[in-house]
Amino acid sequence: MHPSFKLQIGNDIFSPQKITDVLQIDQLAITEDWQRSVFMFLKQWFSEGDNITVHTSGSTGKPQVIHLSKSRMRVSASMTCDYFGLKPMDRALLCLSAEKIAGKMMLVRAIERGLHLVAVNPVGCPLSVINENVKFTAMVPIQVQHCLDEKCLDKTEILLIGGVAVSDQMQTELSVHPVRCYSSYGMTETMSHVAIKTLNGPDASEWFEGLNN
C-alpha cells in the first residue's frame, strides 16, 4: 500500500494504518451496503492470496466466476495512472460499486499510486455530493447525464466513461465541455479498460487506442 493512500467516506478519512485497523474488526456491522462492498474488497486485496475472485458481467453470455491476478491488476492500475498523469495525493472519486471490476480497479489505482480516494454512494449525481473538486473520476453514462443535467461535471478535471457505449448525443454535448472526457473499452476479464478514446479537446478522436501500446 502506498503510504500516501487515503480513503475518505463522508467526513471520515482512513489512513493506511486506520484501514489496517478497520479490517481487523467486524466492519461489516457498521457500514452501509455500498461501504461494506468497499471494505470487503480491501479485505480480499490485503489477504495473503495472489488472486481476486470476481464475476463477469454476463453481457456476452452467462456470468462466470473468474480469478484475476493481483500482480496484473497492479500493472493495469499503474498503466491507467500513468496514462492520465495521476500522482500521489491527487484526489479521485469512487462512485462505482466496489462489487464490480470498475470500482475495484479505482481502489487498486488509489492504493498503488497513493491517491486520496473519496468514496460516495454509487447512485444519482455523484459529483453533486462532494465538497472539494477531484482530479479523476470514472462513471457510467447515466451518472454523467445526471452531472450534465445538474451542471456539476466541472467538479472533476478528468472523466473516464465506461460500462456501456457513450451515445452520439452525449458525445456531442461532451465535445465542447471543458472537462477532459474519455470513453473506455474493456471488460472484467481485462481488469477494466484496455483502450481509450478521447472525446474532446485537440486530441479528440473517433477511434479507440490501446492503452500504453
Side-chain angles (χ1 to χ4, degrees), residues 57 59-60 68 101 185-194:
S57 64
S59 59
T60 58
L68 300 179
I101 191 63
Y185 175 85
M187 61 196 77
T188 304
E189 294 89 333
T190 61
M191 295 157 286
S192 76
H193 51 265
V194 292

Side-chain angles (χ1 to χ4, degrees), residues 132-186:
E132 295 184 54
N133 291 3
V134 296
K135 182 169 183 178
F136 181 71
T137 303
M139 297 187 199
V140 294
I142 187 63
Q143 292 174 311
V144 177
Q145 190 59 58
H146 284 311
C147 291
L148 286 169
D149 293 342
E150 297 194 27
K151 303 185 186 306
C152 62
L153 199 62
D154 58 357
K155 280 190 171 184
T156 186
E157 182 180 328
I158 302 168
L159 172 65
L160 180 64
I161 309 170
V164 296
V166 176
S167 68
D168 291 342
Q169 179 179 345
M170 179 175 289
Q171 186 159 335
T172 298
E173 192 167 359
L174 292 176
S175 68
V176 294
H177 203 284
V179 171
R180 293 164 53 193
C181 298
Y182 303 84
S183 180
S184 66
Y185 175 85

Side-chain angles (χ1 to χ4, degrees), residues 89-148:
M89 296 184 288
D90 280 343
R91 293 174 64 87
L93 180 65
L94 171 60
C95 57
L96 300 168
S97 173
E99 295 182 357
K100 305 295 185 181
I101 191 63
K104 295 179 193 298
M105 288 306 301
M106 281 296 295
L107 282 158
V108 177
R109 292 165 198 147
I111 292 167
E112 294 302 306
R113 190 53 55 103
L115 306 179
H116 182 129
L117 188 66
V118 181
V120 299
N121 197 348
V123 297
C125 179
L127 287 170
S128 67
V129 300
I130 62 173
N131 297 320
E132 295 184 54
N133 291 3
V134 296
K135 182 169 183 178
F136 181 71
T137 303
M139 297 187 199
V140 294
I142 187 63
Q143 292 174 311
V144 177
Q145 190 59 58
H146 284 311
C147 291
L148 286 169

Side-chain angles (χ1 to χ4, degrees), residues 43-77:
K43 192 168 187 176
Q44 189 178 15
W45 182 257
F46 292 117
S47 68
E48 294 182 358
D50 295 328
N51 300 311
I52 293 292
T53 301
V54 298
H55 293 80
T56 62
S57 64
S59 59
T60 58
K62 185 178 179 180
Q64 299 180 37
V65 175
I66 62 174
H67 305 284
L68 300 179
S69 161
K70 290 179 183 178
S71 62
R72 291 187 178 185
M73 293 174 76
R74 291 187 182 96
V75 171
S76 174

